Amino acid sequence: MPITRRQSLRCAAGLLLLGTTPFARSARANPRGGVLSLFAGQIGLHGHIDGRGGSATFFDPRGLALDPRNGDIIVADAANALIRRVTASGDVTTLAGGAEQRVSKDGQASQARFVGPDAVAVAPDGTIVIADSYANTIRLLRGGTVSTLAGQAGQPGYADGHGTVAQFNHPVGIALDPQTGDVLVADAYNSTLRRVTAEGKVSTMAGQPGLNGHRDGSMQRALFNTPVGIAVAPDGTIYVSEFFNQDVRKITTQGQVSTLAGNPVQRGDADGQGAAALFRKPQQLCVDATGNVILADGGNHKVRRITPDGSVTTLAGRGQLDKVELGPLPGALITPYGVAPGPQGSILVSSGDAILRIVQNA
């Protein structure tokens, strides 16, 4: 089943602009304190300008990832078909790709091209792994050169195997296994989780291709429905967000799948414990420095925090206001998509053609 927001890069970006109203700087205060602020980009104004903070522009930025070497943030700038870097001080530079030149081409970073990068992950050595979702490939940016690790550009499908023998169908979320260095992929339209080794060998971890459902248990028996986000905790626990199951799943290091939070038969907007919490079209997720899961709850226009035992609270956003409000939390967001740990314990989120920063007071 297609994901409406992702049917066309041009359509998605155009609708975002048409639906955006000027942002305000007022927001109702959160009793716990904290602030939602602009980190980089311009809300409601797209482009591909490098620069500092609000002088830079993006075009439908999606996946975010922390560079473990220096704390920089890597951005999958989807509609621009670029990979960008944002430093802790908000300086934006372009690492690879050609603005709005949506083809699949390997080579030197400035000459390489992407179709529609949706997610990124960064290895300890600085290698950037890219889910070029609209090309149905997994790409690498290493040493100034872009290469294809696995998948057939422009050929959606399902096949395990090595390199270009393997096929994906809209791979969205990616993460790195801290134990093996393998790339873990949320293969959305195949409703499977895939593993890719450093040599490009692709295998299926969990789920059954073409069979959408919700079933917990062993990885061999579990069923998923359009997984779009994947993250790995330091202890090896894997978390997966599902667009159409409206939930977050947990996979232990022993290979057992359970539902951490959300209800696959009921979407909505509710904080709470486990199945009492409700999401609407969740997007990507990450694990913060304290081991909590941070989720971009796209359909509810919120960012949510989920503890390891499944307790859900709202960090930012006040529902479907169709605008961004900066200032005291909770503020307001427009269809948040990617999340990542930010400078000094903050959380970064892509929303409204910009990267926003959430800071909660202790």
Side-chain angles (χ1 to χ4, degrees):
M1 183 181 293
I3 300 176
T4 303
R5 185 173 179 259
R6 300 177 185 157
Q7 287 177 339
S8 163
L9 279 172
R10 290 186 182 275
C11 178
L15 289 174
L16 182 60
L17 289 171
L18 288 172
T20 300
T21 56
F23 69 91
R25 294 189 175 273
S26 63
R28 291 181 293 190
N30 186 321
R32 293 171 294 181
V35 66
L36 178 68
S37 62
L38 180 69
F39 187 63
Q42 300 183 36
I43 298 165
L45 178 63
H46 73 269
H48 51 82
I49 299 171
D50 289 341
R52 172 166 288 193
S55 66
T57 53
F58 299 92
F59 194 2
D60 195 18
R62 296 191 178 185
L64 309 176
L66 178 71
D67 187 330
R69 302 171 304 162
N70 50 29
D72 291 350
I73 299 298
I74 307 303
V75 183
D77 194 3
N80 269 331
L82 300 174
I83 304 302
R84 317 281 291 277
R85 179 186 296 277
V86 189
T87 67
S89 58
D91 290 317
V92 179
T93 55
T94 297
L95 297 179
E100 298 189 60
Q101 298 178 38
R102 302 184 186 105
V103 296
S104 182
K105 177 183 176 184
D106 289 340
Q108 185 181 0
S110 61
Q111 302 300 315
R113 298 293 181 262
F114 303 93
V115 179
D118 214 311
V120 285
V122 187
D125 67 356
T127 298
I128 299 172
V129 186
I130 303 147
D132 195 356
S133 302
Y134 285 85
N136 297 296
T137 55
I138 306 301
R139 318 278 294 277
L140 300 179
L141 172 54
R142 177 192 292 138
T145 300
V146 175
S147 60
T148 298
L149 178 64
Q152 299 178 31
Q155 297 296 320
Y158 172 82
D160 287 339
H162 192 277
T164 56
V165 171
Q167 287 183 300
F168 301 92
N169 194 350
H170 205 69
V172 181
I174 56 173
L176 295 174
D177 185 327
Q179 304 300 319
T180 64
D182 292 347
V183 181
L184 309 183
V185 182
D187 191 6
Y189 293 169
N190 279 325
S191 287
T192 56
L193 306 180
R194 317 285 291 279
R195 179 182 293 272
V196 189
T197 67
E199 296 75 32
K201 183 180 178 180
V202 179
S203 58
T204 298
M205 296 169 50
Q208 299 183 32
L211 183 57
N212 300 326
H214 180 276
R215 184 165 67 199
D216 289 336
S218 68
M219 293 176 68
Q220 293 74 25
R221 283 183 42 80
L223 294 179
F224 298 85
N225 192 347
T226 320
V228 292
I230 189 167
V232 187
D235 66 359
T237 301
I238 299 170
Y239 297 98
V240 179
S241 53
E242 299 183 275
F243 191 86
F244 284 117
N245 271 340
Q246 328 278 347
D247 64 10
V248 172
R249 312 285 286 279
K250 177 180 178 178
I251 306 175
T252 67
T253 54
Q254 291 75 39
Q256 290 297 307
V257 180
S258 61
T259 302
L260 178 65
N263 189 329
V265 298
Q266 182 181 2
R267 66 181 182 181
D269 181 4
D271 289 343
Q273 182 73 36
L278 298 178
F279 307 113
R280 180 177 281 109
K281 298 179 180 178
Q283 301 284 2
Q284 294 183 10
L285 44 70
C286 70
V287 177
D288 70 12
T290 61
N292 294 314
V293 176
I294 307 299
L295 174 70
D297 189 4
N300 283 322
H301 303 274
K302 292 184 175 183
V303 172
R304 319 286 287 278
R305 174 187 282 139
I306 311 170
T307 63
D309 66 353
S311 177
V312 178
T313 55
T314 296
L315 286 183
R318 288 192 288 119
Q320 301 181 30
L321 298 181
D322 201 27
K323 62 180 177 180
V324 171
E325 287 184 350
L326 303 180
L329 291 176
L333 302 167
I334 298 174
T335 317
Y337 193 93
V339 286
Q344 300 174 327
S346 64
I347 297 296
L348 300 180
V349 53
S350 55
S351 173
D353 279 324
I355 312 299
L356 307 180
R357 183 180 181 185
I358 302 168
V359 177
Q360 275 204 314
N361 295 340

